[in-house]
Amino acid sequence: MTEPAATTPAPPPVAGRNWAGNVHYSARARHRPTTLDEVRRLVARAERVRAVGTGHSFNRLGDTTGDLISLAGLPPTGTLDRDRGTVTVPAGLRYGDLATRLHTDGYAVANLASLPHISVAGAVATATHGSGRANGNLATGVAGLELVTADGELLTVDRTDPRFAGMVVNLGALGVVTRLTLDVVPTFAIRQYVRLGLPRHALDAALDGAYSASVFTDWRSDRLDQVWLKRHADEPAPPADWLGTRAADAPVHPVPGMPPENCTIQLGEAGPWHERLPHFRLGFTPSSGDELQSEWHVGRADAAAALAALEPAAGRIAAVLQICEIRTIAADDLWLSPNYERDSVALHFTWIGDPAAVAPVLTEVEERLAPFAPRPHWGKLFDRDPATGYPRFDDFRALLREFDPAGKFRTDELDRYFARD
C-alpha cells in the first residue's frame, strides 16, 4: 500500500477545537510528530497527554490540560498481508483514504461509518459504527494494536492477549495508539437505494432490508422519512411497493435543506463499497459543522418500544433536531462497546448547534430510554452514567490502573466516569 493522492485539504497540524466547534481544547501545547520515536519521547516526558484524531467527538472526553498529539503527520503507508487477510495502518489515517487504497489492491473492510473523514484510531477507540444486522462496529475489525504506553515504551497486542477485548475500545485512556491491524475481505460492489415514507411498524423489517440500512426521521410525522438501503450489487432492487414506501426519484440528503451532492451516489447505481457504504463523499464537507450529536444504543428487541417511549416527547425533540438516524449493529465481546453481548439498535440525534436549547431535551430522551438500559456512544453528548450499562466497566477500570497508574492519559471527563481508587 502506498500513499494516496490528496482527496481533501490536509487538516491543520493540531486544531484548537473539535469539528463542530463546541469544544475548544485546553491543551497547554499541541504537537504533530512525524516519527514514532518522536511520539515516544513526547509521551514519556509529558505529565498529561492525549492523542487527537480528526476531531469528530462532541464531548470533552479527549480534552486535556497537558499535551495534545495529532498522529496525522506520521507516514501514511500501510502494510497489506494477503495471507493473513489483514492490513496494518497508521492510527491517524482516515478511513476514506484507507478505503481507496484497499480497493485498488482488491480488498475492503467489512463496513464503514457514515463519514469517511474520520481517523481509524479515533473511530475504533469510541466504537464508531455503520449499520447492518450482521455487521459489528468498526472496532470489531481490529486484529491488533500498537500503542505507546505511559513510560514511552512500545507495546503490541493482538487477539491472543486476554486483555485485548478491553483494549480496543479504549477511549484513548491506555496509551497513544500508533498503528492498528484490521481484518480485510475481498472488495465488493454496492447499490444504494433510498425509500420514502416508511410506516413505523415496518422499522424492524427495514433494518433487515440490506447489507447496511439506515432509517431517518425528523419526529414530525407518523411515518419515518427515509430508508437508505445499501445492497450488494448482485442483489435485486427493492420492489415498487417495498414495505409500503415509495422510491426516491432523485438523490436526497438526510438533513432537509442540505445539498444531496455531498452524499454518496443513490438511485441503484452500482459502485465500489467505499463509495456507497458511507452516507457522505470523502471529497465533500458533509455539513457545516454547526450541530451537536447524541446517540444511545438499546437492544435490538427493544427498538420499537424505545421509539414508542420517545413519542410523547416528539414535539420537543423535533424543535431542536436536524435529523434522527436509526441503525442496527451486531453484538460483540469488546468491554466498552455499546454492543457488548447485545445486538443493538442505535438512535442517533443530530441536534441544532444550541447547547442550552438541546440540554433539557437530551436529558428527557435519556430518562425515557432508561428502562431499556441505553449505552451512549462515547464520542457524543450524554449525561447518563455509563457504568450502569456496561457489564465489564470495572474490568476496564482495572486496565486503567495497570496501564496508567499515574493518570497521564486521564481527563476530567474520564475521571467523572472512571473514578480513581
Side-chain angles (χ1 to χ4, degrees):
M1 295 180 65
T2 55
E3 184 173 353
T7 52
T8 57
V14 181
R17 64 178 184 83
N18 68 341
W19 172 76
N22 68 307
V23 173
H24 290 261
Y25 298 126
S26 306
R28 68 168 188 84
R30 304 178 186 128
H31 311 274
R32 192 181 184 184
T34 57
T35 68
L36 177 59
D37 285 343
E38 191 178 352
V39 175
R40 294 177 64 182
R41 288 194 296 270
L42 284 167
V43 172
R45 73 184 186 215
E47 181 178 350
R48 289 286 185 95
V49 64
R50 292 286 296 188
V52 63
T54 44
H56 281 83
S57 289
F58 290 79
N59 59 41
R60 307 198 76 92
L61 202 63
D63 192 21
T64 181
T65 55
D67 293 83
L68 204 60
I69 298 177
S70 166
L71 301 176
L74 295 182
T77 54
T79 304
L80 180 64
D81 189 328
R82 298 176 187 270
D83 293 332
R84 297 191 178 198
T86 61
V87 63
T88 300
V89 300
L93 190 67
R94 299 183 305 172
Y95 265 101
D97 294 322
L98 166 64
T100 56
R101 295 153 65 183
L102 272 180
H103 176 67
T104 298
D105 289 332
Y107 288 90
V109 291
N111 208 357
L112 290 170
S114 59
L115 295 177
H117 310 70
I118 54 179
S119 68
V120 175
V124 165
T126 54
T128 295
H129 59 92
S131 190
R133 183 165 198 158
N135 296 322
N137 64 52
L138 301 183
T140 62
V142 176
L145 292 173
E146 175 189 272
L147 71 160
V148 176
T149 58
D151 57 5
E153 294 301 309
L154 193 64
L155 175 66
T156 301
V157 294
D158 60 25
R159 288 175 175 141
T160 64
D161 192 309
R163 304 168 298 179
F164 187 72
M167 296 180 66
V168 179
V169 182
N170 56 59
L171 313 183
L174 304 180
V176 174
V177 174
T178 51
R179 294 175 73 81
L180 301 96
T181 298
L182 309 177
D183 298 326
V184 296
V185 297
T187 192
F188 55 96
I190 291 286
R191 299 180 191 271
Q192 181 166 231
Y193 308 89
V194 176
R195 307 290 302 198
L196 307 176
L198 179 75
R200 287 183 179 269
H201 67 79
L203 172 64
D204 197 58
L207 290 172
D208 284 341
Y211 179 78
S212 173
S214 293
V215 177
F216 295 93
T217 177
D218 61 8
W219 286 94
R220 291 178 169 85
S221 169
D222 60 355
R223 284 184 172 244
L224 302 168
D225 302 284
Q226 301 176 12
V227 185
W228 289 38
L229 300 172
K230 302 164 192 282
R231 292 186 170 184
H232 285 288
D234 58 0
E235 292 183 76
D241 60 349
W242 184 79
L243 298 180
T245 64
R246 67 185 189 281
D249 57 8
V252 299
H253 192 291
V255 179
M258 293 294 291
E261 292 79 15
N262 293 5
C263 299
T264 48
I265 293 174
Q266 303 159 28
L267 303 181
E269 180 180 337
W273 58 281
H274 63 94
E275 294 179 359
R276 298 294 185 276
L277 289 177
H279 299 332
F280 304 104
R281 302 190 197 197
L282 182 61
F284 289 77
T285 301
S287 73
S288 66
D290 186 18
E291 64 192 58
L292 303 171
Q293 293 184 13
S294 299
E295 182 179 89
W296 295 272
H297 295 229
V298 300
R300 173 70 189 260
D302 291 328
L307 287 177
L310 293 177
E311 188 61 37
R316 291 182 290 279
I317 291 172
V320 293
L321 184 72
Q322 295 193 43
I323 202 67
C324 173
E325 182 178 7
I326 306 167
R327 290 179 283 179
T328 185
I329 310 98
D332 59 59
D333 66 349
L334 306 177
W335 297 358
L336 289 191
S337 165
N339 320 114
Y340 178 76
E341 295 188 344
R342 187 172 76 176
D343 290 335
S344 305
V345 163
L347 307 176
H348 180 280
F349 298 82
T350 298
W351 309 109
I352 63 174
D354 185 341
V358 168
V361 181
L362 184 156
T363 299
E364 182 176 2
V365 168
E366 286 195 328
E367 290 172 349
R368 291 184 175 276
L369 292 178
F372 310 103
R375 298 172 183 167
H377 186 306
W378 290 103
K380 313 295 184 183
L381 297 176
F382 60 92
D383 291 330
R384 181 179 174 84
D385 181 357
T388 61
Y390 289 88
R392 302 299 296 272
F393 203 83
D394 287 339
D395 293 324
F396 187 77
R397 288 184 62 200
L399 277 184
L400 287 176
R401 291 192 295 270
E402 176 185 350
F403 279 87
D404 191 21
K408 178 172 287 195
F409 303 109
R410 287 275 188 164
T411 68
D412 289 346
E413 195 87 348
L414 273 170
D415 282 344
R416 284 181 58 200
Y417 305 123
F418 301 93
R420 303 192 196 206
D421 295 332

